Every structure is written in C-alpha cells, then in structure tokens.
Amino acid sequence: MVRFSDIIKTKGKKGETGKPPEPAKQGKGFRLSDSWFFKSRNLDTLSPKKVLRRASSFEAESFYHSFVDRARETGQWVKNDMQISPSPILSDLHAVVEKDLIDSLYKYVMSVKNEAEDIFTHTVDVTFTSLKIGKGMNYDIKMMLKLGLAAFLENVGMYKIPEDILSVKGKLSESDLTLIRKHPETSYDLLMTLGDRYTWLAEAALSTHERADGSGYPSGLKEAEIPELSAVIGLADIYCAMIRNRPYRDKFTRTDAVNSIIQADRWKFPSKILKIFLKQISLFPVNSWVKLNNGQIGRVLFTDRRHPLSPVIEILYNDKQEKLDERKEISLTDDPLLYIEGWIDPDELVQEGGPIE
C-alpha cells in the first residue's frame, strides 16, 4: 500500500493506477498542442488565453469523471465489506493539486447539470468545493491532500444505508432519520479500520456534521472542539446539498444558497472559514445566470475577490431576451455603469431552441 507520506515525498512521480486516462499520458515531454483536443478543433480564431482555458476545462472534465468513477468504486467496496484504499484517491488528488486544476474542476462541477444527483456526484461536488475553500485558506499541499481525502471519504457511512431510504420523497420516518444521522459514526468505524496512520481521517469524518453553535451531531461539539478540516467540509457539504435537487425539495439558486448560509447558518461555522467561503464562492458564483441593469442576461465566468459584486460576465441574451449570435465578455469592474440587477433561472428563459448551454 502506498503511504500518504510517500505521495508527499515523491511529488511528480506517476503511479500505474488511480489516474484518469487522458491526464496520465501527459508526461514530462507532453505539449498541449499534441493532444487530440487541439488536433480535433479549429482553434485558429481563439486567443491563446481562451485556448488554454478550453484545454484546462477539458482536463478538468476528464478528472471529474474519474473521481465519480472512483466514488462508485469506493461505494462498492463499502457495500461488499471490503477495506477502502486511500492510495489511489490520494494519487488522483495529488495530480489535481500539482496541475493547479482546483479552480477549473470547481467550475466544471458547478456547470454539470445533475438533476438526479446521487451520493457519488455529491461526493465529488463536496470534494472540489472543499478544495476551493482550502485554496483560499492557503493550505500547503499536505493539508490540501488531507482535506481532499477527508471530503471524498466523509460520507462513506452513507453507502451502508439502503437506496430506498435515500430516495424517499417527502418526510422521512423517525427510524429512517435516526439511521441516516448515524452515518458519521459508521464512517468513523469504517475509516478506523485503515489503522493509526488514518485516525485523523476517521475523526474528521465523524465531525463534519458538527456545528460551531452546538446544533450539530452526533456529539453536539462546539467551536474549537470541531477539527478545522471538518468545519470546511461541513460548510461545503451544506452548500452543495442546497444547490442540487433533492427527493423532498427543489434546489436553491446558488445566490440564494449563499445568502441563506450567511443569514441562517452564519453561527454554525467559524468566521474565518465563512469569510473564505464567501471570497471563494462569491455572491454571484461561477456559472450562475444574472441580469444586468441594461436588461442583458449572461453567465458568470470569473469572480474577483477584490470586487465580489463585479464579476466577468458572458453576455448570452440581449435586453429583449433574444439569443445573441455571438457571445461577448464584459468585466463589470471595467464598466462602472453596469451592475448585476438580479439572478436569473436559465430554465425560465423560454426561447426558441432553449437556453444556451
């Protein structure tokens, strides 16, 4: 078994397993222009910046699907009472951190339409949202790997819960609710079988549903009693759950989810982590749809920590809600006369051909 410390020491070495197929081919001599991504597309009209952006998006997509597959594999191990192997997960995470793909992966996660989201895609959502927050907290590579691994495995106890309970529409019975609320303890027991080296991992998973105000479970821990990694993952978990559909409710808009966390959950998390979350996620998150004061409608491409209310917008509709033939980018920081008037649900843009994907 590969040790966690070995991965830290052997930065840059490639294992034979645990890598998404495409990124694994990108060795020391790999050039972006050699990939099929560039050879199969006419990119002559794009600026170098946009070409690199698209290449990064392609690589993020490859890693995303690799992590979803890894989550399904882990779920099968748990259901079959097989021991979890952290090594391939750490190997994938190391590649992501080393390639500086966290922002691209977070952006891709937020762009995927998982209308019927399952526990596996939720696991990946939480993993890269947690890493996005961890990056804002300036964690070093060792802490980023620990955060990513803990986020990926914090819900392994849920794999023991029958699918018919997880998919119940409406209010759960008291017995079913009690079973679900025991999953942190189940996760702890499963991860403790990995040995002393991973005791921290089991403790992190046990505490991700604890809250700083003492309202969490299973132990009602408060403030400093909760490991910092657990608090980061817990915040990411709440946000990711809110912005996806659930059997018992419709999803929140991303802006509404952020506002709800600020207003209703602000005392449940350390102020330091909450501030970093707001800086990293923004009131107008990447890929959210917004309406400008001039009536135009677009999608958020980038956010700026220094100007959280003035992101870069890709304009997709004119002020008459007609699709534009050519998309254009506007930086609200560079145009003080424009500002975001409100959030738009793209599903409500009833135009011929539907909203732009």
Side-chain angles (χ1 to χ4, degrees), residues 29-226:
F30 176 81
R31 295 178 302 173
L32 286 174
S33 58
D34 292 334
S35 75
W36 72 266
F37 171 82
F38 285 89
K39 293 179 178 178
S40 62
R41 288 165 169 79
N42 181 9
L43 304 178
D44 294 341
T45 60
L46 297 180
S47 66
K49 186 176 181 180
K50 287 187 177 181
V51 169
L52 290 174
R53 189 188 305 164
R54 290 195 181 185
S56 180
S57 177
F58 164 74
E59 193 169 26
E61 180 180 359
S62 177
F63 270 107
Y64 171 82
H65 291 292
S66 176
F67 273 92
V68 172
D69 289 342
R70 184 76 70 198
R72 295 185 189 280
E73 179 184 54
T74 303
Q76 285 301 314
W77 287 342
V78 173
K79 289 178 181 179
N80 294 328
D81 296 321
M82 298 170 62
Q83 189 176 69
I84 298 167
S85 177
S87 299
I89 303 167
L90 281 168
S91 180
D92 287 351
L93 288 168
H94 186 271
V96 167
V97 175
E98 188 178 50
K99 290 173 176 286
D100 194 22
L101 289 174
I102 292 172
D103 289 339
S104 296
L105 265 161
Y106 173 75
K107 183 179 178 181
Y108 185 80
V109 162
M110 292 295 108
S111 71
V112 175
K113 291 186 176 180
N114 291 321
E115 296 302 330
E117 188 192 48
D118 54 30
I119 188 172
F120 309 111
T121 53
H122 177 70
T123 291
V124 178
D125 286 359
V126 173
T127 297
F128 291 108
T129 302
S130 297
L131 288 174
K132 177 77 169 173
I133 299 171
K135 186 175 180 180
M137 296 183 72
N138 295 318
Y139 284 164
D140 60 20
I141 187 171
K142 184 175 181 179
M143 281 295 290
M144 290 294 279
L145 292 177
K146 292 180 71 173
L147 174 61
L149 184 64
F152 192 82
L153 295 177
E154 57 117 358
N155 269 331
V156 290
M158 293 287 281
Y159 298 141
K160 288 288 190 180
I161 299 175
E163 180 61 33
D164 59 340
I165 294 178
L166 296 177
S167 60
V168 167
K169 294 184 178 180
K171 189 175 181 180
L172 289 167
S173 67
E174 284 299 321
S175 60
D176 289 346
L177 187 60
T178 299
L179 180 61
I180 289 177
R181 288 173 68 91
K182 283 183 65 66
H183 83 268
E185 296 162 282
T186 305
S187 297
Y188 175 85
D189 292 338
L190 288 168
L191 296 174
M192 281 298 291
T193 65
L194 299 178
D196 293 343
R197 179 180 296 276
Y198 290 102
T199 297
W200 65 269
L201 180 61
E203 292 174 347
L206 181 64
S207 304
T208 55
H209 292 278
E210 301 286 3
R211 299 294 178 254
D213 62 357
S215 63
Y217 65 91
S219 302
L221 301 181
K222 293 183 178 181
E223 298 178 348
E225 296 174 325
I226 304 170

